[in-house]
Amino acid sequence: MSDERDMTGSGQGGTNAMWGGRFAAGPSAIMREINASIPFDKALWRQDIAASKAHVAMLGAQGIVAPEDAQAISAGLDTVAAEYERDGVPEDWDREDIHMTTEARLAELIGPVAGRLHTARSRNDQVATDFRLWVRDAAQQLDEGLAALQRALVRRAGEHADSIMPGFTHLQTAQPVTLGHHLMAYYEMFRRDRARLADAQARMNECPLGSAALAGTGFPIDREATARALGFDRPTANSLDAVSDRDFALDFLWCCSATALHLSRLAEELILWASQPFGFIRLPDSLSTGSSIMPQKKNPDAAELVRGHSGRVIGSLTSLMITMKGLPLAYSKDMQDDKPPVFEAASLMALSVAAMTGMIADATFNTGRMRAAAELGYATATDLADWLVRQAGIPFREAHHIIGAAVKLAESRGVALDQLPPEDLKAIDARIDESVYAALSVDASVAARASFGGTAPDRVREAVAAARAVLGMEE
Ligand code: ARG
């Protein structure tokens, strides 16, 4: 449609000598284009119809509109909805947005009585209501997606409660952990994300409809009735706030951003683990791509895009925060720009969560390779120090120093700690005896870490069982 834009200023009607000639034709075309939100807010059509039906039913019940008019309007709205469902929403910039598009079509269908629909409301409370309804659904869908991702994580964690891998700090091998424990760490992140969403969902569930343009209305409306009809907990308490508040969208974007951040960390790990030097996992073919030039390659594109999308999602939060910053009460047209970032974030999140769920569900874990990596890198050095503390009563700091010498020796010979002969260990500290070898295996190391929340396989199994109960997964 942008080819309709007229920048030539063919000179019709410009009165200002300085710029009128050039802009007389231009600005109205530009105005139509900059003003039109229909290209994106048509996504709100279901919410717009639902809110209008709730509103007109209330107008009828309150005697503000005659019952037969309310009936005709409601039936007409059903027809418009059926048309949208079948043919899509027409994009006419002169009808600006979804609200005017629907009302104009209603008038074409049922005549001037359509004009009664807009009694006691404004597009300001209308858009605030529609958008809340939309965000409420999007939050619910995101929550369902996250529950599916959690189920995939819990299932895989249960399979791998005993599988040993290196645990890292600074991406340096630190201590052996179990793969199940590692996966359950992400279960916990998504559990918090869902709690944040639930909190946002509860807070946003108030109905702005009836706030009208900004000050409320003189008509005897029933805001409780419209709130109830649309599934809101209550009407919003302050009309000025209600038409200009977009916290509900910001809350949603913050929830998306926190989740995107978690997804990007998991994506990064999958990408690392799928690389040849790690070789910890094989990602499913269905979520990978090949290279057009290097036939041996299988690229973790889905994981990379999940990691990449997080930037756009976090950008959408920043975008709306900056749009809202400094706006005086009540509605300003800036707020029309609230929708694109929210729509984009919601669809990126749906894709990212689905892709991650598929990757977790169908990844092949190379447990032999993970275990071998855990056995390298002196991951059980802390166990050796703990052994000295427990068996020989040595203070931990001193034990740490002694084991440092053992690691140095093993490193100089290019062997693992448990490959150092007993005499060499005794030479480092006379209190070390052969029973230390039992503490040096990676299995002994993870089994020992049975503190609550620790990596011991039994603890992981408990955590998996608790999560299964929370998620309602059958055994
Ligand atoms: N399309 C507008 C938006 O999304 C609807 C509200 C218009 N209100 C107004 N006073 N012009 O914000």
Side-chain angles (χ1 to χ4, degrees):
M1 278 203 176
S2 55
D3 54 349
E4 288 177 15
R5 181 191 289 165
D6 182 0
M7 292 290 287
T8 60
S10 42
Q12 7 164 322
T15 49
N16 186 301
M18 294 295 288
W19 49 261
R22 178 168 158 73
F23 283 97
S28 68
I30 291 170
M31 190 58 221
R32 285 169 69 234
E33 183 171 356
I34 198 171
N35 204 35
S37 54
I38 188 67
F40 53 86
D41 71 15
K42 62 185 182 178
L44 297 176
W45 74 260
R46 285 192 174 78
Q47 290 74 16
D48 196 64
I49 299 272
S52 287
K53 287 188 67 171
H55 181 67
V56 79
M58 180 277 293
L59 293 177
Q62 294 295 105
I64 300 167
V65 164
E68 59 278 14
D69 289 349
Q71 196 39 49
I73 291 169
S74 192
L77 287 167
D78 287 337
T79 307
V80 176
E83 288 180 359
Y84 288 170
E85 188 79 77
R86 194 182 58 231
D87 309 324
V89 179
E91 257 186 58
D92 177 352
W93 291 351
D94 288 326
R95 292 182 175 180
E96 288 189 26
D97 55 27
I98 186 60
H99 324 295
M100 286 174 64
T101 299
T102 299
E103 202 182 315
R105 181 62 189 142
L106 184 68
E108 285 168 1
L109 290 169
I110 67 170
V113 68
R116 298 193 185 278
L117 170 60
H118 214 52
T119 313
R121 78 170 186 190
S122 145
R123 277 190 292 159
N124 296 348
D125 59 337
Q126 203 180 346
V127 72
T129 304
D130 294 359
F131 198 29
R132 272 192 201 235
L133 288 169
W134 194 94
V135 173
R136 195 175 73 178
D137 286 352
Q140 187 54 35
Q141 277 162 32
L142 177 56
D143 185 64
E144 284 163 21
L146 287 175
L149 174 54
Q150 284 185 307
R151 284 193 292 272
L153 285 164
V154 167
R155 215 169 280 128
R156 301 314 305 268
E159 289 165 24
H160 291 287
D162 294 288
S163 304
I164 289 172
M165 63 176 285
F168 301 97
T169 60
H170 313 268
L171 201 55
Q172 303 285 314
T173 300
Q175 291 174 351
V177 296
T178 55
L179 174 57
H181 196 51
H182 196 115
L183 294 173
M184 287 303 285
Y186 285 97
Y187 164 83
E188 288 295 321
M189 292 180 228
F190 298 125
R191 183 182 62 75
R192 291 193 297 276
D193 290 340
R194 293 183 65 201
R196 252 187 292 275
L197 260 179
D199 179 52
Q201 282 173 298
R203 193 166 34 248
M204 75 175 68
N205 207 29
E206 295 184 344
C207 186
L209 197 59
S211 301
L214 75 165
T217 175
F219 290 98
I221 60 170
D222 181 351
R223 294 195 59 206
E224 292 286 346
T226 44
R228 218 176 309 116
L230 293 168
F232 286 107
D233 294 330
R234 63 191 79 84
T236 51
N238 180 298
S239 62
L240 287 168
D241 177 48
V243 296
S244 65
D245 163 40
R246 293 295 182 271
D247 291 3
F248 65 92
L250 290 167
D251 274 355
F252 174 66
L253 291 175
W254 160 242
C255 291
C256 288
S257 297
T259 300
L261 185 154
H262 291 148
L263 286 170
S264 79
R265 296 183 70 182
L266 179 52
E268 168 68 5
E269 298 208 298
L270 297 183
I271 293 162
L272 274 177
W273 293 359
S275 70
Q276 283 74 13
F278 272 83
F280 286 4
I281 56 168
R282 220 158 26 79
L283 289 171
D285 286 352
S286 57
L287 287 161
S288 307
T289 63
S291 158
S292 52
I293 180 166
M294 294 165 282
Q296 85 282 12
K297 292 199 72 187
K298 186 167 128 181
N299 295 328
D301 297 54
E304 291 169 281
L305 286 164
V306 168
R307 186 177 59 183
H309 285 352
S310 65
R312 291 166 65 191
V313 171
I314 294 165
S316 69
L317 171 64
T318 312
S319 162
L320 184 54
M321 287 224 242
I322 295 173
T323 296
M324 295 305 297
K325 177 188 122 358
L327 291 186
L329 292 179
Y331 178 88
S332 294
K333 200 59 171 271
D334 314 44
M335 291 165 68
Q336 179 163 282
D337 281 343
D338 57 359
K339 290 164 222 61
V342 170
F343 293 162
E344 173 168 76
S347 70
L348 289 173
M349 290 307 293
L351 260 176
S352 293
V353 171
M356 186 55 84
T357 305
M359 286 188 281
I360 293 298
D362 296 332
T364 309
F365 294 102
N366 187 342
T367 51
R369 191 67 189 239
M370 287 182 164
R371 187 185 171 91
E375 283 169 342
L376 291 174
Y378 311 105
T380 57
T382 322
D383 299 275
L384 191 48
D386 286 350
W387 183 91
L388 285 175
V389 170
R390 270 200 297 263
Q391 304 299 312
I394 300 174
F396 182 81
R397 283 287 161 225
E398 191 189 337
H400 182 280
H401 195 76
I402 294 167
I403 303 314
V407 168
K408 205 165 150 196
L409 179 65
E411 208 169 33
S412 73
R413 295 197 192 152
V415 299
L417 277 175
D418 60 357
Q419 289 169 321
L420 288 175
E423 335 46 284
D424 286 333
L425 286 175
K426 278 196 187 119
I428 290 167
D429 192 286
R431 290 165 289 189
I432 302 178
D433 66 43
E434 293 188 21
S435 71
V436 76
Y437 287 99
L440 288 183
S441 77
V442 289
D443 303 275
S445 172
V446 294
R449 293 201 160 66
S451 51
F452 179 76
T455 196
D458 286 344
R459 283 302 194 189
V460 174
R461 272 184 280 274
E462 282 168 19
V464 165
R468 280 180 164 274
V470 168
L471 295 169
M473 295 165 73
E474 63 270 10
E475 288 310 306

Coordinates of all heavy atoms in Angstrom, one line a residue, residues 35-38 40-41 44 96-99 122-124 127 246 331-339, ligand 1:
N35 N -0.9 6.6 10.9 CA -2.0 6.4 11.8 C -2.6 5.0 11.9 O -3.1 4.6 12.9 CB -3.1 7.4 11.5 CG -4.0 7.8 12.6 OD1 -3.6 7.9 13.7 ND2 -5.3 8.0 12.3
A36 N -2.5 4.3 10.8 CA -3.2 3.0 10.7 C -2.5 1.9 11.5 O -1.3 1.7 11.3 CB -3.2 2.6 9.2
S37 N -3.2 1.3 12.4 CA -2.7 0.2 13.1 C -3.3 -1.1 12.7 O -2.9 -2.2 13.1 CB -2.9 0.4 14.6 OG -4.3 0.6 14.9
I38 N -4.3 -1.0 11.7 CA -5.0 -2.2 11.3 C -4.0 -3.3 10.7 O -4.2 -4.5 10.9 CB -6.1 -1.9 10.2 CG1 -6.9 -3.1 9.9 CG2 -5.5 -1.2 9.0 CD1 -7.8 -3.6 11.0
F40 N -1.4 -4.4 12.0 CA -1.0 -5.3 13.0 C -2.1 -5.6 14.1 O -2.3 -6.7 14.6 CB 0.3 -4.9 13.7 CG 0.3 -3.5 14.2 CD1 -0.2 -3.2 15.5 CD2 0.8 -2.4 13.4 CE1 -0.1 -1.9 15.9 CE2 0.9 -1.1 13.9 CZ 0.4 -0.8 15.2
D41 N -3.0 -4.6 14.3 CA -4.0 -4.8 15.4 C -5.2 -5.7 14.9 O -6.0 -6.0 15.7 CB -4.4 -3.6 16.1 CG -5.2 -2.6 15.4 OD1 -5.8 -3.0 14.3 OD2 -5.4 -1.4 15.8
L44 N -6.2 -8.6 16.9 CA -7.0 -8.5 18.1 C -8.5 -8.8 17.7 O -9.4 -8.5 18.6 CB -6.9 -7.1 18.7 CG -5.6 -6.7 19.3 CD1 -5.7 -5.2 19.7 CD2 -5.2 -7.6 20.4
E96 N -8.5 2.8 9.9 CA -7.5 3.0 11.0 C -7.1 1.7 11.7 O -6.0 1.2 11.7 CB -7.9 4.0 12.0 CG -7.8 5.4 11.5 CD -8.0 6.4 12.7 OE1 -7.7 6.1 13.8 OE2 -8.4 7.5 12.4
D97 N -8.1 1.2 12.5 CA -7.7 0.1 13.4 C -8.8 -1.0 13.4 O -9.9 -0.8 12.8 CB -7.4 0.6 14.8 CG -8.5 1.5 15.4 OD1 -9.7 1.2 15.0 OD2 -8.2 2.3 16.2
I98 N -8.6 -2.0 14.2 CA -9.6 -3.1 14.3 C -11.0 -2.6 14.8 O -12.0 -3.1 14.4 CB -9.0 -4.3 15.1 CG1 -10.0 -5.5 15.0 CG2 -8.8 -3.9 16.5 CD1 -10.2 -6.0 13.6
H99 N -10.9 -1.6 15.7 CA -12.2 -1.2 16.3 C -13.0 -0.5 15.2 O -14.2 -0.8 15.1 CB -11.9 -0.2 17.5 CG -10.6 -0.6 18.2 ND1 -10.6 -1.8 18.9 CD2 -9.4 0.0 18.3 CE1 -9.4 -1.9 19.5 NE2 -8.6 -0.8 19.1
S122 N -15.1 4.1 24.6 CA -14.2 4.9 23.7 C -13.3 3.8 23.2 O -13.1 2.7 23.7 CB -13.5 5.9 24.5 OG -12.2 6.1 24.1
R123 N -12.6 4.2 22.1 CA -11.5 3.2 21.6 C -10.4 3.1 22.7 O -9.7 2.1 22.7 CB -10.9 3.7 20.3 CG -11.8 3.3 19.1 CD -11.0 3.6 17.8 NE -10.9 5.0 17.6 CZ -9.9 5.5 16.8 NH1 -9.1 4.8 16.2 NH2 -9.9 6.8 16.6
N124 N -10.3 4.1 23.6 CA -9.3 4.0 24.6 C -9.5 2.8 25.6 O -8.6 2.1 25.9 CB -9.1 5.3 25.4 CG -8.7 6.4 24.4 OD1 -8.3 6.1 23.3 ND2 -8.8 7.6 24.9
V127 N -9.4 -0.6 23.4 CA -8.2 -1.2 23.0 C -7.5 -1.8 24.3 O -6.8 -2.8 24.2 CB -7.2 -0.2 22.2 CG1 -6.7 0.9 23.1 CG2 -6.1 -1.0 21.6
R246 N -0.1 0.1 30.7 CA 0.3 -1.0 29.9 C 1.2 -1.9 30.7 O 2.0 -2.7 30.1 CB 1.0 -0.5 28.6 CG 0.1 0.2 27.6 CD -1.0 -0.7 27.0 NE -1.9 -0.1 26.1 CZ -3.0 0.6 26.4 NH1 -3.4 0.7 27.6 NH2 -3.7 1.2 25.4
Y331 N -4.5 8.5 27.8 CA -4.0 7.8 26.5 C -3.3 8.8 25.7 O -3.6 10.0 25.5 CB -5.3 7.3 25.8 CG -4.9 6.7 24.4 CD1 -4.6 5.3 24.4 CD2 -4.9 7.4 23.3 CE1 -4.2 4.8 23.1 CE2 -4.6 6.9 22.0 CZ -4.2 5.5 22.0 OH -3.9 5.0 20.8
S332 N -2.2 8.3 25.1 CA -1.5 9.0 24.0 C -1.3 8.0 22.8 O -1.2 6.8 23.1 CB -0.1 9.6 24.4 OG -0.3 10.5 25.4
K333 N -1.2 8.6 21.6 CA -1.2 7.7 20.5 C 0.1 6.8 20.4 O 0.1 5.8 19.8 CB -1.4 8.5 19.2 CG -1.8 7.6 17.9 CD -3.1 6.9 18.2 CE -3.7 6.3 16.9 NZ -4.5 7.2 16.1
D334 N 1.1 7.3 21.1 CA 2.3 6.5 21.2 C 2.0 5.0 21.6 O 2.7 4.1 21.2 CB 3.3 7.0 22.4 CG 3.5 8.5 22.4 OD1 2.5 9.2 22.3 OD2 4.6 8.9 22.6
M335 N 0.9 5.0 22.4 CA 0.6 3.6 23.0 C 0.1 2.7 22.0 O 0.0 1.5 22.2 CB -0.5 3.8 24.1 CG 0.2 4.6 25.3 SD -1.0 5.2 26.5 CE -1.6 3.7 27.1
Q336 N -0.3 3.2 20.8 CA -0.6 2.3 19.7 C 0.6 1.3 19.4 O 0.4 0.2 18.9 CB -1.0 3.1 18.5 CG -1.4 2.3 17.3 CD -2.2 3.1 16.3 OE1 -3.4 3.3 16.5 NE2 -1.6 3.6 15.2
D337 N 1.8 1.8 19.6 CA 3.0 1.0 19.3 C 3.2 0.0 20.4 O 4.3 -0.7 20.3 CB 4.2 2.0 19.3 CG 4.3 2.7 17.9 OD1 3.6 2.3 17.0 OD2 5.0 3.7 17.8
D338 N 2.3 -0.2 21.3 CA 2.5 -1.3 22.3 C 2.4 -2.7 21.7 O 3.0 -3.6 22.2 CB 1.5 -1.1 23.5 CG 0.0 -1.1 23.0 OD1 -0.3 -1.3 21.8 OD2 -0.9 -1.0 23.9
K339 N 1.6 -2.8 20.6 CA 1.3 -4.1 20.1 C 2.4 -4.9 19.4 O 2.6 -6.1 19.7 CB 0.0 -4.1 19.3 CG -1.2 -3.8 20.2 CD -2.4 -3.4 19.4 CE -3.2 -2.2 20.0 NZ -2.5 -1.0 20.1
Ligands
ARG1 N1 -5.6 2.1 17.4 C1 -5.6 2.7 18.7 C2 -4.5 2.1 19.6 O1 -4.2 1.0 19.3 C3 -6.9 2.7 19.4 C4 -7.1 3.8 20.3 C5 -7.3 5.0 19.6 N2 -7.7 6.1 20.5 C6 -7.6 7.4 20.2 N3 -8.0 8.2 21.1 N4 -7.2 7.8 19.0 O2 -4.0 2.7 20.5

